[in-house]
Structures are given as C-alpha cells and as structure tokens.
C-alpha cells in the first residue's frame, strides 16, 4: 500500500476554540445549514462522536460523489486536533483504500487561528519501492526548493510526474512555516486528475472560510 500526502493551511480571524467548536464539534449540524450544496446531511451510524464513530455523509450538488462513510480516528478538544478517514464511498474512486485527514487548529499572532490539514491518500496495491527525483530549482537565500518525481511506482502509472514547490518563511513567534505546493501531471484520460486534487483543497478551504464568515456574522453562535 502506498500513500499520497499533502498539507494545506487556512487562516481565520476567529480564535481557535471557537473555530474548533464550529468546524469540528458542531460540524454535523452547522455545515449542512450553511453549505447545503456541499453537504446535505450527516448521520451517525455507530458511536458517540469519539474515536471509532462511523458517520454517513450525504453530499450535495457541489460534489460529483453522492455519499461517503467516515470514521472518527481521534479527537482532542483541549488541543484542537481532529482526525478522521473516508473508508467507503465513490470518493475513493476504486484506487484508494482510505483517505485520512488530520486537522489541527492553532492560534495566530493576530488573535485569530490557522487550520492545518494533512491529507493522506492510502492507495491500493503494493507499497512503492523507489522513485527517481529531479531537482528543478533551489534558492538558498530565499529558502525555496522545487523538485519532481519523474520515475517510479509512486506515479502509479497514471501520472507523468509529481512536482513539489517548497518555501520556508518566518513566523511571528520566531519559528517558521513550510509551505508546500504539489502538482500532479496526469497521463491522458487518467481517472485521478490534477483538477480533482486541486478541487479537494479548494472545497476544504471554502468550507473553512464559510464557517469563519458564519461565526463573524453570528458572534454568539
């Protein structure tokens, strides 16, 4: 089994505790209310909301897929972390065993928050043995680095290449933030397209921003 991993970050003016409550704890009722075109309904099939809970998500017209079954893997209300996996449904496209999401909401310097989301696509079949990479660009002064996977079983026979563009920038607390853009160049009419991967990121970001807008308009929510 192999895996495709990507990270994304979305900033908000809403504090972490309030955003976590809306984005995670109240999401099953809140998201269908403010984004019905994305998610029509959420039904708990097993569990009490904690680890091991199984949910059936009925998707709206904004998605090509009809429904998915999710499993809650972990939730930490104190540290604002949440992990869940898509374990059944046509979103797996017949090539993934599961898609896992690991969310962490942290405070930002301006009093708001940053939602950090790592997505891991567990592919069917054997694990990758090796890949060949090409360095595309490196800038030691501006802390940027670009490289591409150009050969190997990680391309799964459906990608011509996978490119990564990395930039490390200073953060307000004296640390750093690593920003990574992944670009999947597909072959011909491959089923997994760059647009689908990009669309997944955009929809996750849009959902986060919709919740932010709702909380700003409803400060007592």
């Amino acid at each position: 089994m192999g895996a495709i991993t990507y990270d994304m970050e979305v900033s908000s003016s809403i504090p972490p505790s309030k955003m976590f409550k809306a984005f995670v704890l109240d999401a099953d009722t809140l998201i269908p209310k403010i984004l019905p075109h994305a998610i029509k309904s959420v039904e708990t099939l097993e569990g009490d909301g904690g680890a091991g809970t199984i949910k059936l998500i009925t998707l709206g017209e904004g998605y090509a897929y009809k429904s998915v079954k999710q499993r809650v893997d972990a939730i930490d209300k104190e540290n604002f972390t949440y992990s869940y996996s898509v374990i059944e449904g046509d979103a797996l496209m017949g090539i993934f065993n599961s898609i896992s999401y690991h969310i962490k909401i942290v405070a930002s310097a301006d009093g708001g928050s940053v939602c950090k989301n790592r997505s891991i696509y567990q592919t069917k079949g054997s694990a990758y043995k090796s890949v060949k990479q090409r360095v595309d660009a490196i800038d030691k002064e501006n802390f940027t680095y670009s490289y591409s996977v150009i050969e190997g079983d990680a391309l799964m026979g459906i990608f011509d290449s996978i490119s990564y563009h990395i930039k490390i920038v200073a953060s307000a607390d004296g640390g750093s933030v690593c920003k990574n853009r992944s670009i999947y160049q597909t072959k011909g009419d491959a089923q997994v397209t760059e647009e689908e991967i990009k669309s997944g990121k955009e929809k996750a970001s849009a959902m986060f921003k919709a919740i932010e807008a709702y909380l700003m308009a409803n400060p007592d929510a």
Side-chain angles (χ1 to χ4, degrees):
M1 181 189 299
I4 301 171
T5 302
Y6 70 75
D7 298 311
M8 66 173 288
E9 293 185 4
V10 185
S11 298
S12 169
S13 60
I14 304 298
S17 59
K18 194 167 187 177
M19 181 55 76
F20 187 80
K21 182 177 184 295
F23 192 58
V24 176
L25 302 181
D26 297 340
D28 291 358
T29 55
L30 182 59
I31 293 178
K33 176 181 177 181
I34 63 177
L35 288 172
H37 64 284
I39 294 179
K40 288 184 178 180
S41 64
V42 180
E43 178 186 357
T44 299
L45 302 178
E46 301 176 22
D48 58 2
T53 295
I54 305 296
K55 300 179 182 181
L56 177 65
I57 316 299
T58 301
L59 302 172
E61 296 177 356
Y63 284 87
Y65 317 123
K66 294 182 179 180
S67 64
V68 295
K69 189 175 288 187
Q70 293 180 355
R71 180 189 65 231
V72 176
D73 299 319
I75 184 168
D76 186 334
K77 299 178 183 179
E78 295 183 357
N79 293 304
F80 310 132
T81 63
Y82 180 60
S83 297
Y84 68 96
S85 298
V86 174
I87 56 173
E88 288 184 22
D90 43 6
L92 298 176
M93 298 180 286
I95 63 172
F96 299 113
N97 281 326
S98 66
I99 305 173
S100 299
Y101 300 91
H102 304 280
I103 296 167
K104 182 175 179 64
I105 299 179
V106 300
S108 56
D110 60 1
S113 60
V114 177
C115 178
K116 300 182 178 183
N117 182 12
R118 168 165 290 182
S119 305
I120 302 175
Y121 292 72
Q122 294 289 349
T123 59
K124 292 182 176 181
S126 58
Y128 312 137
K129 295 180 179 179
S130 64
V131 296
K132 185 179 288 185
Q133 294 181 353
R134 180 189 66 226
V135 176
D136 299 317
I138 185 169
D139 186 333
K140 298 179 181 179
E141 294 182 357
N142 293 304
F143 310 127
T144 63
Y145 179 59
S146 298
Y147 70 96
S148 299
V149 174
I150 55 173
E151 289 183 20
D153 44 6
L155 298 177
M156 299 183 292
I158 60 175
F159 298 115
D160 281 322
S161 66
I162 305 173
S163 299
Y164 301 90
H165 304 279
I166 297 168
K167 182 176 179 64
I168 299 177
V169 299
S171 59
D173 60 3
S176 62
V177 177
C178 179
K179 300 181 178 182
N180 181 14
R181 170 172 290 180
S182 304
I183 301 176
Y184 294 75
Q185 296 289 347
T186 60
K187 291 183 177 181
D189 58 354
Q191 291 183 348
V192 182
T193 67
E194 178 184 351
E195 288 74 18
E196 286 173 324
I197 294 172
K198 181 181 178 182
S199 176
K201 285 187 175 183
E202 290 176 344
K203 286 174 179 175
S205 178
M207 187 175 296
F208 187 83
K209 284 300 183 181
I211 291 174
E212 176 189 38
Y214 174 84
L215 293 176
M216 293 180 70
N218 300 273
D220 296 327

